[in-house]
Amino acid sequence: NYNPITDLTFLIANAPFEASVEEVKKEFPTATKVELTRKGCFMCTFVSIDARNKAAAAGRGKSMAGRALRIVVDQKANNDGVAVFLSNMPYHATTEEIRSMFPKSVRIHIQKGENGRSKGTAIVYFNTKEDAEAAVK
């Protein structure tokens, strides 16, 4: 999936697989748009950066069906770049391996848990939307 994380969006991960768009809208009522990106992941869009930040702060610590929601916010998103969320990666994947798959990436952030181990997810940054779209085809 092509999941750009911008200054007006955040990604919700670790939601129950059976969660619906309507259920997520109830949890995040200020979102103007909620999309299912894949089972357990939703992209939420907001009218402003402030609205996004407030919803992200309110969402931290929330859970659905006993699963702690993970809110993925790109603090450095801007009009010059596009962030793509990667999931279901091998836990041992390295930045170098990811860069070899996405040579036009400008920055890669492998997300890690409190124990320092990979969560199997990463955010890959590209200079342009076109570069990001080409990379995920």
Side-chain angles (χ1 to χ4, degrees):
N1 284 338
Y2 171 61
N3 301 320
I5 301 172
T6 69
D7 55 357
L8 298 179
T9 64
F10 64 63
L11 185 84
I12 299 169
N14 202 42
F17 284 174
E18 63 276 359
S20 68
V21 167
E22 291 74 27
E23 290 172 306
V24 173
K25 283 182 181 178
K26 286 179 187 173
E27 293 292 325
F28 298 91
T30 58
T32 57
K33 183 177 182 182
V34 175
E35 300 173 87
L36 176 67
T37 60
R38 68 180 188 92
K39 285 185 175 186
C41 290
F42 295 85
M43 182 68 69
C44 296
T45 304
F46 298 87
V47 296
S48 68
I49 295 170
D50 187 51
R52 190 251 353 229
N53 290 344
K54 285 179 181 175
R60 285 184 174 64
K62 278 191 179 193
S63 63
M64 292 178 75
R67 294 177 62 99
L69 300 179
R70 287 195 321 248
I71 310 294
V72 180
V73 178
D74 178 20
Q75 298 292 344
K76 296 178 182 173
N78 58 46
N79 292 335
D80 300 333
V82 176
V84 174
F85 180 74
L86 300 179
S87 60
N88 210 21
M89 298 179 356
Y91 293 110
H92 61 274
T94 66
T95 300
E96 293 77 21
E97 290 170 325
I98 296 169
R99 188 170 313 283
S100 72
M101 294 186 300
F102 302 101
K104 288 193 173 186
S105 63
V106 294
R107 188 164 61 94
I108 297 168
H109 173 70
I110 296 175
Q111 297 181 314
K112 297 183 179 178
E114 291 179 14
N115 62 3
R117 296 181 63 204
S118 170
K119 292 181 177 182
T121 58
I123 301 174
V124 180
Y125 298 87
F126 297 88
N127 279 327
T128 67
K129 182 178 178 182
E130 294 76 21
D131 286 348
E133 288 174 342
V136 298
K137 287 186 178 182

